[in-house]
Every structure is written in C-alpha cells, then in structure tokens.
Amino acid sequence: MSVTVAKSAGFCFGVNRAVEMVEKAAADGKWVATLGPIIHNHHVVGEFEKLGVRVLQSPEEAEPGMTVIIRSHGVARNVLDALADKNAEIMDATCPFVKRIHEIVSKAEEDGRMPVIIGTRAHPEVEGIAGWCRDCRIFETPEELEKWSNGGEISKDTPICMVSQTTSTESLWKKCSEIAKKQFTNVKIFDTICRATEFRQGEAARLSSICQAMVVVGDPTSSNTGRLAMICREHCKKVALVDNATELDAAFFDGVADVGITAGASTPAWIIKEVNKTMSEITNVEAVQEENFAELLEQSIKTLNTGDKVIGIVTGIGNTEVQVDLGTKHAGYIPYDEVSNDPSVKAEDILKVGDEIEVFVVRVNDQEGTVQLSKKKLDGMKVWDDMAVWAEEKTTVEGTITEENKGGLVANVKGIRVFIPASQSGIAKGGDMSAMIGQTVGMKITEVNRARRRVIGSIRAVTSEERKASREKIWAEIEVGKKYHGVVKSLTSYGAFVDIGGVDGMVHVSELSWNRIKTPADVVKVGDEIDVFVISFDAEKHKISLGYKTAEMNPWNQFMTNYNVGDVVTAKVVKLMTFGAFAEIIPGVDGLIHISQIADRRIGKPEDVLSEGQEVQVKITDIDAENKRISLSIRALLEESAPADEAEAE
C-alpha cells in the first residue's frame, strides 16, 4: 500500500502563531490562561494544562494580573473590554485573516451597511465577528440566505456587506455570493475565506479523487477538520476521521492499494506521525515507505535555515504581518516592520495576495513549523550590491535629503544612509544647506564601504555632468540673436555676468538699460532671472557678449508711441544750461526748454526761474524724430492761460 501525505496537513499559520504565543508566555513565567481552548485539539490543550495554562470559559473568570491569550478565532469587542475591566494582560492571537473581517464589518456598519456573515452560527469565529457590529445576519447555507432575501424582511436596495467565515468552503461561498448579487442592488462582497484553508481543502479534494481511501486526522470538534472530511467524502468512498492513532481500524485498509492523509489546521505534527506509524504497523507497509513519509512530513524543517534567501507566494495581508507560502511545511510571515525600509510605506501598497517575492529567513521555529521572514533585510542586502555597481559604473541615482550635519548632508537612497560632504553638495560655501532637507536629488555614489556600512555620494558630480552637457549643447547651437533665460551670477563695474545654462556670458553696462545708470546694480542683482540675447560670441575663446535691453524697452520708442506735439506733460528739470533747461518726460527721454520758452518775460538765465529736480508743466511744441530731439515750452502754457485770466478780470 502506498501512502500520500497532503503538503498542507497540520498547523496553519494562525494556529502556529497562537500556540507559539502560549508557549512563550508560559516559558516567561507568566500566569497564563486562554479564553476557551487555544485550538480545537484536546491533546494540545492537555499539554498546556500540564504547563499550568488554564482554560477560561468566560472573561468573568479572569483575575487581575493574569495573562489572558485570545485564541486565533478572535472574540467580540465587548469581551476584550470585559478582560480590560478585570485588569488582565491581554495577548491577542487572533488570526490576521479573522482580524481583517472584524475591521470590515465594523467599518461597514459605520458606513450604514448591514453586515451579513456566511458561516456556522455557533462557531467561535463567527460569534467573534458578530461581536464587532451591533446588528448583523448569519446564514449557514445558500438556502437560508435566499429565503431571507426573498422573505420581504429586507429591501432589495438595503446596503449590504457580506463576509465569510475563514474556514467556509469555496463552493458554499460562491453560491451565496451569486445569490447576494442577484437579490441586492447595493452589495459589497469581501472574499474572506483563508487562502491557506482554500489550498488545504483543494488539496484534500485532489488527493481524495485519486486515492482509494482517505484518513483525515484531527479533533472531531474542529470545524476545519470536519469540512476536510466532508470534502473527501465527496470524492472518495472510504474516508476515516480519526482523532489519533488509536482510532485506526485495520479492517478499514483491506483491499486498499493507496491511501491519502490530510489533517486539520489544529492537528500537531506529532499526532500525524503517530497515525502514519500505526498505519505502517497494521498494514505491513515497508519501512522505506515510512521513512519517505517522515521525510516528506519534516521536509520544511530540515531545509530552512536562518540567513537563507527563499521565494514564496503572498497568501494574506493582515493588520500586523504578511503571510507567505514557502511551498514547505513552514508557515511563513513577515512582520510589518520587516516589509520595507521606508516606514511610510504600507504593506498593501507594495504587495498583494498572489505576488511572488524573495525574502530573508530571520528565525525558524522547527518545533511549530513557523518561520519569520524579512523583505526589508533582503532588499537592504540587494541595495548594498547595487551600491557597489552604481559606484563602479558612475550611475546617477535619486535620494531624499533627510538631514544636515556638521560636515554636509545625509540622504536616503533606497533605505541606505548616504553621506554627502558639504563640498559635494553643490551649494556655495556659507550657503544654506538646510534648505535642501526634504528634496529629492540626483547624485553619484563615489565610495562604498560595506564592512563599515559607509556610503559617500556627490550631488556636485551630477550637476557638473549636467552643466558640461549643457555647455556642449550651447556651443553647438549658439548664434547671434538667439535668446536665453539666464541667472545673474556676478556684477562688476562694467557689466553683469549671466549663466545661460552652464556657460557665462557678459552683459556690458551699456546693454543693461536705455536709461542713464551709474552701476549694473541699478538694474539687476545677483540671483535675478533675466532674458538675454546673443550680440556676439567667440567659440575659440569661449566668450559671449549678451544684450539685455531690447527695442521694446527703448524709452524713445515708448515716447513716440504715447506722446504727440501739443500734449501737455509733467516733466522734471534734470539739467540747467546757459541756453535753457533739459527736462525728463519719461525715464530716458529728455526735452529742451529753450531759455526763451521758460517764462512769458525776458530772463537773464534759466536758474532765475527753474532749479534741478523741479517738476513743471510743459507743452510739447516740436518732435524731431530723425535726430531724437524734443522741444518743450512753459511760455506757451502761460500765454494760453493769459487771455482766460484777462476775461475773468473784465
């Protein structure tokens, strides 16, 4: 007779976690109790009782100072409150999959949706889920759900939120989902069947369809084990559900050539071993077969070691950890703080159920078949490898500046701390480096010391490279008249130097303004962004002459556009001469008030009437556009007003 063992036989992740928590608490000398049996297996519960672990039937039995462990099925919200009132220390071993359902129904009710639970009413998991909402409906079969939805008790438009007990069968859930979609116009359906449970049940179905007999090992009170037996009976005529090896009957194996073994999620490995050993004895299975079975059963325990890199499939994302199927007996999990180097990243942002990921083995618990994993550590190891390659290949990488210190800046590059010396920050000496904090910048990795975990980067190397490329582009495309947007870098007495993208050009003081200016600072200052154009250039000597003032900025053009002969304007006397006075009409445009036009009487010199800086009303009497000369007159205005004054006097 051949024996085939289901790979999924035995403890699931949630059970492993709960059992491990009880063991650790007892080993730490705590006064330990579990609220209800920690798992549906009286053998395991009996072993814990020998360690002094009590089983409480209700939160009222808890005592102050007692450590009460919540089993993987979870409990209602009011149960946790009652334990807190008893001043008991609560250790919550609720399976992350179940915890997620608590959150779903609680949020649904807040949003005005009625929670509908598909599962066994008396099951502790279902009772716990129902305790996270004030009003819900529980249905064990599709027929119950259909009868309720058609009975007139509830409107078809009522917002519904439907979840499933994690150990429900896939076929039952699908039927209920189809009914809900058909009967309700506003329904949200959350597939909360545990993928580990689905895999276990699927494997049991496949194995039972090819074997002449099936042995299902587990506590008969376990819903999970009972469903496995039910699934096996759908595909195989001979199915035995046994609590332990003593319940095996030799007659059951008469005429059987091949037998399959599966076990519920609450069945420890040692019971499965005993069942196999007894089967070997009563059926005279050869020793080599027993050895092969034992090898298969213990395969994962012998092949996973701390420090290994392994590939797994994400099977669930809980509140505190990510479950990973490693394809072995071990139940793998990644604590949230081991998912990413970036604390702001959420597990669900970068992982989803079904993803294949490579992880680092942090700790192996061979006794219970669990393994703690880390994606963050492996990612960190890979980044160090990448760092060495980036340094060698002079690759530009992105990082976020996180802090300023005495010698420079610190950046985060894929979780690795990179130091950027002040001289390599790209900021001028004495500049404000703190302004860089929070910015994402490009840099070159210049030094990597993995042993000392030291990495040095340079922003300046990137900017220098970019400026070099920009300079080459400018010199390749430069031509007279071409316009550039630049930044004023420095000022001298004779002009301003402007960076037009890696190349500096000079704007002579005469090209800065159409007006009279004393220094370039009268027009621009360092840091100003201005538009300039090329007047001339020498590619060999790398010299560029730039212009800033344009025809549009020419005051004479502005004057000709806005003023005409006969206009009366306010002008400012800027210079007195023996023959008259020059007055500024607009900045950069002056007109001459001849001495004969200053007053309506004869005067000896202009300063007898006018002074520099004085504002006067003048009339434009002539415009010589060719020679850019303007004639102004105060006398004309005085003479025009005289007849009016005489008329008023009469």
Side-chain angles (χ1 to χ4, degrees), residues 355-382:
D355 281 354
E356 182 178 275
I357 59 170
E358 188 174 13
V359 287
F360 180 85
V361 177
V362 176
R363 183 170 65 88
V364 179
N365 187 325
D366 287 341
Q367 183 180 357
E368 300 303 338
T370 60
V371 54
Q372 181 180 330
L373 307 168
S374 174
K375 182 177 181 296
K376 178 174 74 174
K377 282 186 173 62
L378 189 59
D379 289 345
M381 293 165 64
K382 289 181 176 179

Side-chain angles (χ1 to χ4, degrees), residues 567-592:
D567 288 350
V568 176
V569 298
T570 299
K572 183 172 71 174
V573 177
V574 293
K575 195 170 185 179
L576 297 173
M577 307 293 291
T578 57
F579 54 83
F582 286 99
E584 182 183 72
I585 303 170
I586 61 174
V589 177
D590 298 343
L592 174 64

Side-chain angles (χ1 to χ4, degrees), residues 429-613:
K429 189 174 181 179
D432 182 16
M433 288 197 297
S434 64
M436 295 280 288
I437 295 175
Q439 292 186 25
T440 298
V441 298
M443 69 186 75
K444 300 282 188 183
I445 303 301
T446 58
E447 181 184 329
V448 177
N449 189 323
R450 193 162 186 168
R452 296 179 60 189
R453 302 188 71 78
R454 175 181 171 86
V455 181
I456 296 177
S458 172
I459 299 173
R460 183 179 174 184
V462 175
T463 55
S464 296
E465 193 175 83
E466 291 173 347
R467 286 178 66 84
K468 181 182 178 182
S470 180
R471 284 196 299 269
E472 292 175 353
K473 186 174 187 294
I474 286 175
W475 286 114
E477 301 176 354
I478 195 168
E479 57 185 29
V480 173
K482 189 164 186 176
K483 297 179 180 180
Y484 292 96
H485 185 72
V487 179
V488 178
K489 304 300 288 185
S490 62
L491 301 176
T492 67
S493 60
Y494 51 85
F497 285 92
V498 180
D499 179 359
I500 58 174
V503 177
D504 287 351
M506 202 270 284
V507 183
H508 192 269
V509 67
S510 62
E511 292 296 330
L512 280 171
S513 175
W514 291 97
N515 302 327
R516 292 181 293 272
I517 61 173
K518 295 179 180 179
T519 68
D522 292 340
V523 181
V524 295
K525 62 181 182 295
V526 173
D528 281 355
E529 294 186 17
I530 61 175
D531 291 317
V532 293
F533 57 92
V534 178
I535 295 175
S536 64
F537 64 91
D538 187 332
E540 291 185 2
K541 295 182 179 180
H542 284 191
K543 290 185 178 181
I544 304 174
S545 293
L546 301 172
Y548 175 60
K549 65 180 186 181
T550 63
E552 293 78 14
M553 298 164 62
N554 189 335
W556 179 260
N557 293 339
Q558 294 179 25
F559 171 80
M560 293 297 291
T561 301
N562 299 301
Y563 296 90
N564 298 290
V565 172
D567 288 350
V568 176
V569 298
T570 299
K572 183 172 71 174
V573 177
V574 293
K575 195 170 185 179
L576 297 173
M577 307 293 291
T578 57
F579 54 83
F582 286 99
E584 182 183 72
I585 303 170
I586 61 174
V589 177
D590 298 343
L592 174 64
I593 311 173
H594 192 269
I595 191 171
S596 63
Q597 298 299 313
I598 291 177
D600 56 359
R601 65 185 187 280
R602 184 180 180 84
I603 61 175
K605 50 186 181 296
E607 51 262 39
D608 291 342
V609 178
L610 302 174
S611 60
E612 289 188 7

Side-chain angles (χ1 to χ4, degrees), residues 218-505:
D219 193 311
T221 64
S222 166
S223 172
N224 177 277
T225 302
R227 288 197 181 279
L228 285 178
M230 182 183 72
I231 291 169
C232 289
R233 290 190 179 104
E234 292 175 357
H235 302 279
C236 182
K237 293 180 179 180
K238 299 190 73 172
V239 178
L241 195 164
V242 299
D243 176 62
N244 58 69
T246 62
E247 296 184 359
L248 287 170
D249 182 0
F252 177 79
F253 300 102
D254 289 344
V256 175
D258 43 45
V259 62
I261 297 178
T262 187
S266 300
T267 307
W270 61 269
I271 291 182
I272 304 174
K273 289 182 186 179
E274 285 188 352
V275 168
N276 175 65
K277 182 179 179 181
T278 303
M279 283 175 58
S280 301
E281 292 172 352
I282 65 178
T283 60
N284 296 316
V285 176
E286 296 179 7
V288 66
Q289 291 176 315
E290 182 177 347
E291 291 170 3
N292 288 342
F293 171 75
E295 180 181 348
L296 177 63
L297 195 62
E298 298 297 326
Q299 181 182 20
S300 63
I301 296 177
K302 294 181 179 179
T303 56
L304 286 180
N305 299 290
T306 299
D308 285 351
K309 298 176 185 177
V310 294
I311 294 176
I313 303 295
V314 175
T315 57
I317 299 176
N319 295 324
T320 59
E321 55 209 5
V322 176
Q323 293 86 50
V324 180
D325 179 7
L326 300 174
T328 66
K329 178 67 178 178
H330 288 89
Y333 66 96
I334 310 172
Y336 263 19
D337 58 1
E338 290 296 325
V339 171
S340 172
N341 283 298
D342 186 347
S344 66
V345 170
K346 296 180 180 179
E348 56 267 30
D349 293 339
I350 58 175
L351 296 174
K352 63 180 184 296
V353 173
D355 281 354
E356 182 178 275
I357 59 170
E358 188 174 13
V359 287
F360 180 85
V361 177
V362 176
R363 183 170 65 88
V364 179
N365 187 325
D366 287 341
Q367 183 180 357
E368 300 303 338
T370 60
V371 54
Q372 181 180 330
L373 307 168
S374 174
K375 182 177 181 296
K376 178 174 74 174
K377 282 186 173 62
L378 189 59
D379 289 345
M381 293 165 64
K382 289 181 176 179
V383 172
W384 278 102
D385 294 337
D386 292 340
M387 285 285 181
V389 174
W390 294 336
E392 183 178 348
E393 297 181 353
K394 296 180 174 56
T395 305
T396 298
V397 298
E398 281 193 346
T400 302
I401 304 299
T402 58
E403 61 181 278
E404 175 194 9
N405 62 23
K406 191 175 181 180
L409 297 169
V410 175
N412 182 308
V413 178
K414 295 188 179 296
I416 301 296
R417 188 176 187 273
V418 178
F419 174 65
I420 303 167
S423 62
Q424 298 301 312
S425 67
I427 298 175
K429 189 174 181 179
D432 182 16
M433 288 197 297
S434 64
M436 295 280 288
I437 295 175
Q439 292 186 25
T440 298
V441 298
M443 69 186 75
K444 300 282 188 183
I445 303 301
T446 58
E447 181 184 329
V448 177
N449 189 323
R450 193 162 186 168
R452 296 179 60 189
R453 302 188 71 78
R454 175 181 171 86
V455 181
I456 296 177
S458 172
I459 299 173
R460 183 179 174 184
V462 175
T463 55
S464 296
E465 193 175 83
E466 291 173 347
R467 286 178 66 84
K468 181 182 178 182
S470 180
R471 284 196 299 269
E472 292 175 353
K473 186 174 187 294
I474 286 175
W475 286 114
E477 301 176 354
I478 195 168
E479 57 185 29
V480 173
K482 189 164 186 176
K483 297 179 180 180
Y484 292 96
H485 185 72
V487 179
V488 178
K489 304 300 288 185
S490 62
L491 301 176
T492 67
S493 60
Y494 51 85
F497 285 92
V498 180
D499 179 359
I500 58 174
V503 177
D504 287 351

